[in-house]
Amino acid sequence: QKLKWRFFLFPKREVEVAVGIEEKIIKEEKTHKGSFPPLSLPESRKVSDKTVENLLLKVEKPSPVEEGKPLVFFGPTGSGKTTLIGKTYIDLLRNGIEDIAIVSLDTFRLGAIEQLKLFCNVVDTPFQIAYEPGEFRDIVELLSEHKVILVDTPGISISSESMEELVKFLKVTETVNILTIDVSRDIEVLRRYFEGFNSLFSGVALTKLDEVGERKVELIRELIGDIPVYSVSYRQNLTEGFERLWR
């Protein structure tokens, strides 16, 4: 049974969401030791709020996402996809959207499924695993009445077998494909990601913004150009440092 956890989001409006998330994850984390990204970390370098605000004003916002259409977060290993899904889920709850499901295609990385399964158990949300493209199609159909379906994927490389495998999953149903980018990587590496994955993504999600300086943020904005930005995250803990730009 869920505990009650209240957020005061707007003047004179109180939104109640699935509550006890922080306390329950901390408790589960002690039991499972390292199963999910920590809720808080020492933050010696924080990107300024003004830098984030300026970035958000300059980037292209995505079109509204059709209800029930899966949002597939993909990208290189270590780009922060699983943490991003947790942040997105909590942000949706805080904004009154509770009809959410999570699907994992990451059957390769050790512990990947356990991470999301633990999270979904804590927040009491549907969780499915797809091992084959046909299974993914069936799962999406099964979950089609949910407002939002968040999909985690294995890390992929440009023009690799892992990329070819992901494409097979993306062909079986209509999806919104979001390239998840760790902005702390070298700018030329980021440029190769944008060029190499260009045929796959609908837009991008920027992660680890707190690990770069303001000059790097400006270079990234120039690199993005008119590509829609779905979200920006700039702290690793699940409940802070996240801006969702899609609706």
Side-chain angles (χ1 to χ4, degrees), residues 20-238:
I21 291 176
E22 289 189 70
E23 292 82 356
K24 289 180 74 176
I25 290 180
I26 290 170
K27 184 177 179 180
E28 292 285 345
E29 180 68 15
K30 289 178 180 177
T31 303
H32 295 273
K33 291 185 180 179
S35 298
F36 204 78
L39 283 158
S40 59
L41 291 173
E43 297 172 10
S44 56
R45 290 195 298 170
K46 292 184 180 180
V47 67
S48 70
D49 291 340
K50 185 174 179 60
T51 299
V52 175
E53 182 179 343
N54 288 340
L55 175 65
L56 297 179
L57 287 173
K58 294 175 182 178
V59 298
E60 183 76 17
K61 309 297 190 297
S63 302
V65 175
E66 181 182 335
E67 284 191 9
K69 185 179 290 187
L71 283 89
V72 178
F73 297 87
F74 78 97
T77 301
S79 56
K81 297 181 292 295
T82 306
T83 302
L84 178 58
I85 285 177
K87 281 177 170 284
T88 303
Y89 181 95
I90 291 174
D91 180 78
L92 289 167
L93 286 178
R94 284 175 163 172
N95 285 277
I97 301 173
E98 299 185 12
D99 196 6
I100 310 165
I102 295 178
V103 178
S104 179
L105 309 183
D106 191 358
T107 58
F108 300 97
R109 182 168 60 89
L110 184 65
I113 289 175
E114 286 73 14
Q115 281 186 324
L116 277 180
K117 186 176 181 180
L118 168 62
F119 180 78
C120 291
N121 284 342
V122 169
V123 298
D124 190 22
T125 200
F127 176 63
Q128 297 282 344
I129 306 163
Y131 294 90
E132 301 290 342
E135 192 174 8
F136 179 49
R137 179 193 58 234
D138 294 343
I139 287 172
V140 170
E141 185 175 346
L142 176 69
L143 299 173
S144 60
E145 293 185 0
H146 289 73
K147 287 186 177 180
V148 181
I149 303 172
L150 306 174
V151 182
D152 194 20
T153 63
I156 63 172
S157 302
I158 299 169
S159 302
S160 64
E161 184 177 342
S162 59
M163 182 173 171
E164 293 174 5
E165 285 298 313
L166 177 62
V167 170
K168 293 177 183 177
F169 281 86
L170 301 181
K171 284 182 176 180
V172 299
T173 188
E174 192 174 358
T175 56
V176 176
N177 306 322
I178 302 173
L179 175 60
T180 307
I181 291 292
D182 167 7
V183 298
S184 68
R185 301 202 182 192
D186 183 80
I187 197 72
E188 290 306 316
V189 173
L190 298 181
R191 195 183 308 278
R192 288 199 296 272
Y193 288 158
F194 280 100
E195 293 172 354
F197 295 128
N198 181 58
S199 62
L200 291 184
F201 62 80
S202 310
V204 299
L206 307 178
T207 67
K208 307 183 184 180
L209 200 64
D210 53 318
E211 297 183 17
V212 301
E214 294 193 15
R215 174 57 183 156
K216 179 73 172 289
V217 171
E218 186 59 29
L219 289 173
I220 291 164
R221 192 207 64 77
E222 293 173 4
L223 180 61
I224 292 169
D226 59 359
I227 296 171
V229 175
Y230 279 75
S231 66
V232 170
S233 55
Y234 46 97
R235 292 185 181 89
Q236 191 174 350
N237 53 318
L238 292 174

